[in-house]
């Protein structure tokens, strides 16, 4: 069992933790940022994971927590405390986790802090990581498709040649033949990409583009369709890749906020149920001192008359005094 490195305050509970954190504008990403219902705690660690103590920022001194940007454009958590700003950055540039940190601090500083616990933020983060993984795998599938989509017939032909050459027409033989054809196509694509880079570096592609552009001038005069240059192909590839990255980023952002909205909807339902429960309870009227004295006298008379036992008298007496 791990030994606790520091003690939390009475009634203090952890709602979120983030590791690989840097404090300030320089240094290593060795710290841990712990968000509790009372404060933001910076757990300081050395490069050898040696514990170096904590620094506590109570909510009573924090004016604002926002997601800002450093001079190099990297996003960071900023805590505004009077005339100073405490800056924290995440090593892996996880925008979702940074947003959760900012959200958790502001939630804990709000009047509804009691509803936002560790499970609330953990559910959002877990689902967000799953969404990120799905997006990552989808991107890989798209890459695989883009490599092989234009060479389906070539792969089929190569697979057929492999099959005839091996003479193994079983299911295993067909599988091996196809796998070998796909592998050759990938290798061919890689070598083709390397050759393109080499020809571009030595200026051959520029010379080719000059001839294509000269030819395009004649084609335009003859009313024929012009050909695309290598530079235009590269530009198109870059534009399409940037668009794809932008769409993936947008998709991740939308999915993240959907998770947040789902969790917030659950919080609203919980608050509504608690309010309705409180409203459904009958409001008991507080008895005045005179009313209490009158009732006590009545049950005393019943006790003296033998109508109430000692136990019943004591119980009724306590109920009247508590009302």
């Amino acid at each position: 069992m791990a030994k606790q490195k520091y003690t939390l305050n009475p009634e203090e509970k952890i709602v979120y933790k983030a590791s690989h954190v840097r404090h300030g504008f320089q240094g290593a990403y060795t710290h841990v940022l712990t968000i509790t219902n009372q404060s933001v705690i910076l757990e300081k660690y050395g490069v050898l994971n040696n514990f170096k103590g904590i620094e506590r920022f109570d909510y009573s001194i924090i004016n604002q927590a926002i997601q800002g940007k450093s001079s190099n454009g990297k996003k960071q958590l900023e805590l505004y405390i009077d005339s100073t700003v405490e800056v924290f950055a995440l090593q892996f540039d996880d925008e979702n986790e940074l947003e959760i940190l900012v959200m958790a601090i502001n939630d804990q500083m709000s009047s509804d802090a009691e509803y936002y616990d560790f499970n609330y933020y953990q559910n959002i983060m877990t689902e967000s990581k799953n969404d990120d993984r799905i997006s990552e795998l989808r991107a890989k599938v798209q890459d695989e498709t883009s490599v092989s989509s234009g060479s389906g017939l070539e792969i089929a032909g190569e697979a057929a040649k492999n099959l005839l050459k091996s003479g193994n027409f079983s299911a295993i033989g067909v599988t091996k033949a196809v796998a070998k054809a796909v592998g050759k196509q990938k290798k061919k694509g890689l070598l083709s990409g390397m050759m393109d880079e080499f020809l571009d570096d030595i200026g051959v592609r520029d010379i080719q583009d000059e001839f294509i552009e000269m030819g395009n001038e004649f084609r335009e005069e003859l009313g024929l369709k012009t050909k695309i240059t290598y530079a235009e192909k590269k530009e198109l590839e870059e534009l399409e890749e940037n668009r794809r990255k932008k769409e993936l980023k947008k998709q991740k952002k939308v999915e993240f906020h959907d998770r947040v909205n789902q969790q917030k909807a659950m919080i609203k339902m919980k608050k509504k149920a608690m309010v309705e429960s409180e409203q459904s309870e009958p409001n008991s009227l507080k008895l005045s001192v005179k009313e209490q004295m009158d009732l006590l006298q009545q049950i005393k008379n019943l006790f003296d008359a033998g109508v109430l036992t000692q136990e019943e008298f004591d119980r009724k007496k306590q109920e009247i005094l508590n009302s």
Side-chain angles (χ1 to χ4, degrees):
M1 183 181 293
K3 185 178 179 181
Q4 191 171 335
K5 296 180 174 65
Y6 61 96
T7 305
L8 296 174
N9 292 333
E11 304 300 323
E12 187 172 23
K13 295 179 181 179
I14 295 172
V15 298
Y16 194 74
K17 294 190 79 166
S19 56
H20 305 290
V21 176
R22 186 192 71 205
H23 181 214
F25 298 100
Q26 294 181 340
Y29 295 88
T30 57
H31 307 314
V32 173
L33 205 58
T34 300
I35 312 301
T36 77
N37 60 333
Q38 295 183 9
S39 59
V40 177
I41 300 174
L42 176 67
E43 300 178 20
K44 300 178 181 179
Y45 294 90
V47 291
L48 300 177
N49 201 33
N50 51 310
F51 182 63
K52 302 175 72 173
I54 68 169
E55 189 171 353
R56 181 185 289 271
F57 306 94
D58 293 335
Y59 295 131
S60 59
I61 66 171
I62 298 176
N63 299 322
Q64 192 178 15
I66 67 169
Q67 184 181 122
K69 282 186 178 181
S70 62
S71 56
N72 62 3
K74 185 175 181 180
K75 294 184 178 180
Q76 59 190 16
L77 166 64
E78 297 177 1
L79 297 184
Y80 288 81
I81 303 172
D82 294 332
S83 59
T84 62
V85 182
E86 297 291 340
V87 177
F88 306 90
L90 300 177
Q91 181 176 7
F92 300 111
D93 286 337
D94 192 328
E95 291 187 15
N96 288 349
E97 184 160 30
L98 183 59
E99 193 162 341
I100 288 178
L101 279 172
V102 176
M103 187 191 310
I105 295 169
N106 285 299
D107 286 342
Q108 295 306 311
M109 293 171 65
S110 72
S111 57
D112 295 329
E114 61 182 297
Y115 296 102
Y116 301 103
D117 57 10
F118 183 83
N119 289 331
Y120 172 80
Y121 300 108
Q122 199 63 31
N123 287 339
I124 295 175
M125 196 61 205
T126 299
E127 293 296 333
S128 297
K129 287 186 180 296
N130 290 341
D131 290 340
D132 289 350
R133 182 59 177 160
I134 290 171
S135 298
E136 180 184 344
L137 293 176
R138 282 175 179 168
K140 286 186 176 180
V141 170
Q142 289 176 1
D143 289 340
E144 291 289 336
T145 304
S146 63
V147 169
S148 59
S149 59
S151 55
L153 292 175
E154 190 173 347
I155 291 175
E158 189 67 30
K161 284 195 285 185
N162 293 337
L163 193 60
L164 291 171
K165 187 176 181 181
S166 67
N168 184 358
F169 296 94
S170 65
I172 295 176
V174 172
T175 302
K176 286 183 177 180
V178 173
K180 187 176 180 181
V182 170
K184 184 176 181 180
Q185 183 65 28
K186 286 183 179 179
K187 186 176 181 181
K188 182 179 178 181
L190 178 62
L191 292 175
S192 176
M194 291 172 65
M195 180 59 70
D196 278 342
E197 289 184 10
F198 173 72
L199 293 175
D200 190 24
D201 289 341
I202 63 176
V204 172
R205 291 302 188 190
D206 291 336
I207 297 173
Q208 289 177 338
D209 281 352
E210 288 180 9
F211 280 104
I212 291 174
E213 288 172 357
M214 289 171 60
N216 283 339
E217 292 178 2
F218 288 105
R219 291 186 182 90
E220 287 178 352
E221 290 180 2
L222 296 174
L224 300 175
K225 187 177 180 181
T226 59
K227 291 184 177 181
I228 189 170
T229 64
Y230 175 77
E232 289 172 332
K233 286 180 183 178
K234 293 293 290 184
E235 181 185 4
L236 177 61
E237 289 174 2
E238 290 176 3
L239 289 172
E240 289 179 341
E241 181 64 17
N242 289 336
R243 176 181 288 180
R244 193 181 76 165
K245 287 180 179 178
K246 188 176 180 180
E247 286 299 321
L248 285 173
K249 190 174 182 180
K250 182 180 178 181
Q251 178 186 338
K252 286 169 63 176
K253 199 77 173 174
V254 169
E255 289 170 345
F256 173 77
H257 285 290
D258 284 344
R259 299 296 179 191
V260 173
N261 291 334
Q262 289 174 16
Q263 294 298 318
K264 285 191 177 294
M266 292 175 64
I267 292 294
K268 287 181 180 179
M269 290 175 62
K270 185 177 178 182
K271 287 171 62 178
K272 183 179 179 182
M274 291 184 68
V275 170
E276 290 175 349
S277 176
E278 290 174 357
Q279 291 176 346
S280 65
E281 293 179 0
N283 294 325
S284 57
L285 297 175
K286 187 74 175 176
L287 296 175
S288 65
V289 176
K290 185 179 182 304
E291 289 173 330
Q292 288 180 329
M293 295 301 293
D294 290 342
L295 288 173
L296 287 173
Q297 185 60 52
Q298 290 178 25
I299 65 169
K300 180 66 168 61
N301 293 337
L302 292 173
F303 174 70
D304 292 340
V307 177
L308 297 177
T309 64
Q310 181 68 49
E311 182 180 353
E312 291 172 332
F313 172 74
D314 292 338
R315 186 172 65 252
K316 289 291 184 183
K317 178 182 176 182
Q318 193 63 42
E319 288 177 2
I320 293 170
L321 292 174
N322 291 336
S323 63

